[in-house]
Amino acid sequence: MKMVSIISRISSTLFPRVSMPAFTMASRSKATSVKPKTAIVMLNMGGPQTTDQVGGYLLRIMTDRDMIQLPVQSKLGPWIATRRTEEVKKKYNEIGGGSPILKWTNTQGRMLTEALDQMLPESAPHKHYVAFRYVPPFTEDAFQEIERDGVERAVIFSQYPQYSCATTGSSLNAIADFYRNREVPSSIKFSLIERWATHPLLAKVFAERIREKLEAFDSRVRNDVVILFTAHSLPLKAVSRGDTYPHEVAATVAATMSTLQVPNPHRLVWQSKVGPLPWLQPYTDDAIKAYVKQGRKHLILVPIAFVNEHIETLHELDIEYCDELAKEINKPGPKSVPWRTTNTASQISRLGTQTPIQHFQHYRQQSIQTH
Amino acid sequence: MKMVSIISRISSTLFPRVSMPAFTMASRSKATSVKPKTAIVMLNMGGPQTTDQVGGYLLRIMTDRDMIQLPVQSKLGPWIATRRTEEVKKKYNEIGGGSPILKWTNTQGRMLTEALDQMLPESAPHKHYVAFRYVPPFTEDAFQEIERDGVERAVIFSQYPQYSCATTGSSLNAIADFYRNREVPSSIKFSLIERWATHPLLAKVFAERIREKLEAFDSRVRNDVVILFTAHSLPLKAVSRGDTYPHEVAATVAATMSTLQVPNPHRLVWQSKVGPLPWLQPYTDDAIKAYVKQGRKHLILVPIAFVNEHIETLHELDIEYCDELAKEINKPGPKSVPWRTTNTASQISRLGTQTPIQHFQHYRQQSIQTH
């Protein structure tokens, strides 16, 4: 992929973007010695650090047409954002007053750049930049900082393993918007890691977390535990437009099960639907209820589309499904419910280190081959 | 999986069947010397060999609640079948008067059993049995023949790589129905290959066929050719019930692209929708039109959910999409349309040989380990 296609806006209206290989390369950078030399730009949606940020966060989501498409969006979007603010604030209060996503992204960024400095001295020093879509530090702030720092290379690294127009696509459009009336600096060589759904190390980390959880079950029931892979759902309208997200999530599930090599049954289900329109199903809570009704009470929930904790794992999975829903459907059943979320961020953050290393290694091989 | 779960009916109403590993094993068979020793039962839907069979074929489909769920099905099903018979007859006439599926299944079965006889003398002689769901030879005929032949083992081998309640599930229920008022013969050891969506050889065969097609393009456009993977769509109601088919198809696509290692864009789309209700999208014809509108005229269509030619490849892809639709959207464009279907049955049939061999090899290893 040429940089021009990163900087150009991407239409999400119909078959917006054909799938690209996971590792696409920029041309080789010139050797000048400015510090930091290489930027790792970590794209993500972000989450409110404090409940004061909830209003602005929801407003930006509800007016982002890549994320959600509403009739009369400029009016209806802000109205919905205002209407939902208190309810969402309450949820953030229940998980400690804010999202941990900035903390974990910074942790992962530090681990990542330290490892890169050791492994790839020719592109060191590396510095990570957090580029969030809906809360500070915003995407445009990150790119301003990158320009001020005078880096030679910038690897734009989507923190969503699976590409969706609503997530990675929206962040790429935020970059394009930033450069709409501004010259793209010719001194920086940009490259992009836009999808890594079938990266073997991603499958390996998920498989390790799942194995740990399975081993916590009594050996007599261990092989019967249903592994429920759960990902944020998508409106069916987006699926119909050709968003590759559902297929890429399914590919991660297949790669994980193939790495895991256990006889357990598994299923891919979809969480976090909002609004009245149909979204990609089956829904996670319906699936849990259906399995419990069938007498299958040993389930683990595996969030498969994120690489750190956030409101959908900490509140929706841990509180609403593992706690509240379990009580609702199990009464007067056992109190200790053997459902667990596998995504402990401190463990999974190791993964973040590996993908850019492979990107650089691939880049280095390409450079050797083509120069 | 125990045989009892093959013989039991499978509910397709909600989360009907949890995913199983691709290769599930029966216990080791006793050594008696009857011929044939081992049955390979090839499950598939089948297609009318002559246009005389079209009416009965449609009637059986339209009254199979695993395949399709209609209100007042016992009345509406036959009515729709009658109403569509002439139109479907016309399509079969356009591809030569009948479906080639029996011919190719027998070819694959012969190649398969010959290879097995050579590679696995201890379970030889092997004999293949065609068990179709909607036309002769019916599933019940195949099982009667297996019992008459007095085999020691029967490997029930679904010819659908990806499991769906509507396809493999329906065939397994046909077996359960056959044994509903009949004793399951204790002298036969049954085992089941019910899904093989991520089998490396399946991905390899698809990748080889795609590479051949790509090489037919001019080298200047070769890397821009869009690879459109196309599979039979499913009603959204079935997706919502938890049918694993969409995810397993996506897993085959990911495995194929991973094997293929080309920079071409690819997309998974869905064909053959019938009726007024919403089905899994994006639809293949809409996708072709959208890409052509975007100026992308180099496309190949890859049927990814079947292992031999049938009405959906020979008529829908080759005639309706590659020929009629191309003319419609390209006029007054070039006459030679660079779209191809990759699924040439004679080439892909080799694949059929490999899966049961691995099944047996796995079985043999298991036997060595456990005996």
Side-chain angles (χ1 to χ4, degrees):
Chain A
M1 177 186 314
K2 306 289 179 351
M3 185 55 203
V4 64
S5 69
I6 300 175
I7 299 297
S8 313
R9 274 207 136 251
I10 300 154
S11 160
S12 66
T13 52
L14 194 66
F15 290 88
R17 189 186 187 86
V18 287
S19 306
M20 298 291 170
F23 301 101
T24 50
M25 300 304 121
S27 60
R28 196 172 198 181
S29 61
K30 279 170 280 176
T32 54
S33 55
V34 192
K35 298 217 164 189
K37 201 167 172 184
T38 304
I40 308 290
V41 194
M42 303 172 83
L43 305 181
N44 213 334
M45 63 189 309
Q49 268 194 277
T50 62
T51 51
D52 290 348
Q53 291 185 349
V54 169
Y57 165 76
L58 289 176
L59 178 65
R60 286 180 206 100
I61 288 180
M62 289 294 165
T63 51
D64 176 11
R65 286 189 70 77
D66 290 322
M67 174 56 83
I68 194 162
Q69 298 188 5
L70 301 167
V72 218
Q73 188 144 3
S74 61
K75 295 212 164 41
L76 187 55
W79 182 80
I80 293 174
T82 306
R83 195 167 149 269
R84 295 196 54 206
T85 296
E86 284 312 308
E87 169 201 344
V88 173
K89 271 187 180 173
K90 190 165 164 283
K91 290 188 180 182
Y92 278 101
N93 274 326
E94 289 174 33
I95 64 164
S99 168
I101 190 169
L102 180 60
K103 182 183 78 179
W104 287 120
T105 307
N106 273 323
T107 302
Q108 290 171 350
R110 272 192 305 271
M111 293 174 68
L112 169 59
T113 49
E114 280 166 19
L116 290 175
D117 285 346
Q118 287 196 342
M119 297 180 70
L120 304 168
E122 66 273 29
S123 54
H126 305 81
K127 180 182 169 184
H128 82 275
Y129 299 75
V130 177
F132 282 159
R133 186 67 188 86
Y134 306 118
V135 293
F138 290 117
T139 312
E140 49 269 37
D141 302 333
F143 278 80
Q144 268 167 348
E145 195 183 336
I146 287 163
E147 291 195 13
R148 274 198 308 269
D149 286 351
V151 301
E152 292 176 27
R153 289 195 60 194
V155 179
I156 300 167
F157 180 21
S158 174
Q159 296 300 291
Y160 309 101
Q162 303 93 1
Y163 187 95
S164 169
C165 300
T167 56
T168 301
S170 175
S171 281
L172 296 181
N173 280 342
I175 301 170
D177 286 342
F178 175 71
Y179 281 112
R180 190 187 289 265
N181 300 308
R182 187 185 177 96
E183 205 170 332
V184 181
S186 59
S187 57
I188 304 175
K189 303 296 174 191
F190 290 93
S191 63
L192 174 63
I193 304 173
E194 65 178 356
R195 43 167 52 87
W196 36 293
T198 52
H199 194 292
L201 285 170
L202 181 67
K204 187 165 171 277
V205 170
F206 280 125
E208 281 172 9
R209 296 292 80 72
I210 294 167
R211 184 168 287 116
E212 283 167 13
K213 284 295 164 193
L214 289 176
E215 279 165 8
F217 283 87
D218 188 294
S219 62
R220 285 166 301 182
V221 302
R222 191 174 297 143
N223 288 351
D224 299 322
V225 174
V226 178
I227 303 169
L228 274 188
F229 291 96
T230 173
H232 203 294
S233 190
L234 206 63
L236 278 181
K237 274 176 71 174
V239 177
S240 301
R241 281 198 305 267
D243 201 299
T244 58
Y245 171 79
H247 313 142
E248 297 191 20
V249 173
T252 306
V253 170
T256 301
M257 286 307 295
S258 165
T259 305
L260 188 57
Q261 292 285 335
V262 294
N264 295 64
H266 73 277
R267 192 66 60 140
L268 171 55
V269 293
W270 306 92
Q271 68 180 87
S272 318
K273 178 205 193 249
V274 290
L277 291 173
W279 286 44
L280 193 58
Q281 297 188 23
Y283 300 134
T284 306
D285 51 350
D286 291 344
I288 295 170
K289 288 178 189 169
Y291 277 122
V292 170
K293 202 174 162 188
Q294 286 183 7
R296 286 189 170 265
K297 298 201 176 182
H298 302 299
L299 303 165
I300 59 172
L301 298 176
V302 184
I304 192 77
F306 292 96
V307 290
N308 46 38
E309 296 286 6
H310 49 100
I311 190 79
E312 280 84 6
T313 58
L314 293 173
H315 197 280
E316 189 170 355
L317 295 187
D318 289 352
I319 297 179
E320 293 172 43
Y321 297 162
C322 286
D323 187 8
E324 295 172 12
L325 180 58
K327 279 181 194 153
E328 177 195 330
I329 56 187
N330 265 5
K331 62 178 172 188
K335 271 180 190 171
S336 79
V337 181
W339 302 340
R340 303 289 185 274
T341 64
T342 64
N343 193 7
T344 50
S346 58
Q347 293 166 310
I348 214 163
S349 63
R350 283 185 295 136
L351 172 73
T353 324
Q354 301 300 319
T355 307
I357 287 178
Q358 211 176 41
H359 180 75
F360 278 110
Q361 284 168 339
H362 187 109
Y363 167 75
R364 201 159 44 176
Q365 283 166 6
Q366 293 274 107
S367 301
I368 291 164
Q369 282 163 12
T370 57
H371 286 80
Chain B
M1 178 185 311
K2 306 287 178 355
M3 185 55 204
V4 64
S5 68
I6 301 175
I7 299 296
S8 311
R9 273 207 136 252
I10 300 154
S11 159
S12 66
T13 52
L14 195 66
F15 290 88
R17 188 186 186 86
V18 288
S19 305
M20 297 291 170
F23 301 100
T24 49
M25 300 303 121
S27 59
R28 197 172 198 182
S29 60
K30 278 171 281 176
T32 54
S33 56
V34 191
K35 297 215 164 191
K37 200 167 173 185
T38 304
I40 308 290
V41 194
M42 303 172 83
L43 306 181
N44 213 335
M45 63 189 309
Q49 267 195 278
T50 62
T51 51
D52 289 348
Q53 291 185 349
V54 168
Y57 166 76
L58 290 177
L59 177 66
R60 286 180 206 101
I61 288 180
M62 291 293 165
T63 52
D64 176 11
R65 285 188 70 77
D66 290 323
M67 174 55 85
I68 194 163
Q69 297 188 6
L70 301 168
V72 218
Q73 187 144 4
S74 62
K75 295 212 162 45
L76 187 56
W79 182 80
I80 294 174
T82 305
R83 195 167 150 269
R84 294 197 54 206
T85 295
E86 284 312 309
E87 170 200 343
V88 173
K89 272 187 180 175
K90 190 165 163 282
K91 290 188 180 182
Y92 277 102
N93 273 327
E94 289 175 33
I95 64 164
S99 167
I101 191 169
L102 181 59
K103 182 183 79 180
W104 288 120
T105 307
N106 274 322
T107 302
Q108 290 171 351
R110 272 193 304 271
M111 292 174 69
L112 169 60
T113 49
E114 281 167 17
L116 290 175
D117 284 347
Q118 287 197 342
M119 297 180 70
L120 304 168
E122 67 273 30
S123 53
H126 305 80
K127 180 181 170 186
H128 82 275
Y129 300 75
V130 177
F132 282 159
R133 185 69 188 82
Y134 305 117
V135 292
F138 290 117
T139 312
E140 50 269 37
D141 302 333
F143 277 79
Q144 269 166 349
E145 194 182 337
I146 287 163
E147 291 195 13
R148 273 199 308 270
D149 285 351
V151 301
E152 291 177 26
R153 290 195 60 195
V155 179
I156 299 167
F157 180 22
S158 174
Q159 296 300 292
Y160 308 100
Q162 302 94 2
Y163 187 95
S164 169
C165 300
T167 56
T168 301
S170 175
S171 281
L172 296 181
N173 280 342
I175 301 170
D177 286 341
F178 175 70
Y179 282 112
R180 191 187 289 265
N181 300 308
R182 187 186 178 96
E183 206 171 332
V184 180
S186 60
S187 58
I188 305 176
K189 302 297 175 191
F190 290 92
S191 63
L192 174 64
I193 304 174
E194 66 178 357
R195 43 166 55 86
W196 36 293
T198 53
H199 194 293
L201 285 170
L202 181 67
K204 188 164 170 277
V205 171
F206 280 126
E208 280 172 10
R209 295 292 81 72
I210 294 167
R211 185 167 286 116
E212 283 166 14
K213 284 296 164 193
L214 289 176
E215 279 165 8
F217 284 88
D218 188 295
S219 62
R220 285 167 299 182
V221 301
R222 191 174 296 143
N223 288 351
D224 300 322
V225 174
V226 178
I227 303 169
L228 274 188
F229 291 96
T230 174
H232 204 295
S233 190
L234 206 62
L236 278 182
K237 274 176 71 175
V239 177
S240 302
R241 280 197 306 265
D243 200 299
T244 58
Y245 171 80
H247 313 142
E248 297 192 20
V249 172
T252 306
V253 170
T256 300
M257 286 307 295
S258 165
T259 305
L260 188 57
Q261 291 286 334
V262 293
N264 295 63
H266 73 277
R267 192 67 58 139
L268 171 55
V269 293
W270 306 92
Q271 68 180 85
S272 318
K273 176 204 193 253
V274 289
L277 291 175
W279 286 45
L280 192 58
Q281 297 187 25
Y283 299 134
T284 305
D285 51 349
D286 290 344
I288 294 170
K289 287 178 188 169
Y291 278 122
V292 170
K293 202 174 162 187
Q294 285 182 7
R296 285 190 171 265
K297 298 201 176 183
H298 302 299
L299 303 166
I300 58 173
L301 298 176
V302 184
I304 193 76
F306 291 97
V307 291
N308 46 37
E309 296 285 6
H310 49 102
I311 190 78
E312 281 84 6
T313 59
L314 294 173
H315 197 280
E316 189 170 354
L317 296 187
D318 290 352
I319 298 179
E320 293 172 45
Y321 297 162
C322 286
D323 187 8
E324 294 171 14
L325 180 58
K327 279 181 195 154
E328 178 195 329
I329 56 187
N330 265 5
K331 63 177 171 189
K335 272 180 191 170
S336 78
V337 180
W339 302 341
R340 302 288 185 275
T341 63
T342 64
N343 193 7
T344 49
S346 57
Q347 293 166 309
I348 214 162
S349 63
R350 286 184 293 137
L351 172 73
T353 324
Q354 301 300 319
T355 308
I357 287 178
Q358 213 177 40
H359 180 76
F360 279 110
Q361 285 168 338
H362 188 108
Y363 168 75
R364 200 158 47 175
Q365 282 165 8
Q366 294 273 107
S367 301
I368 292 164
Q369 282 163 13
T370 56
H371 286 81

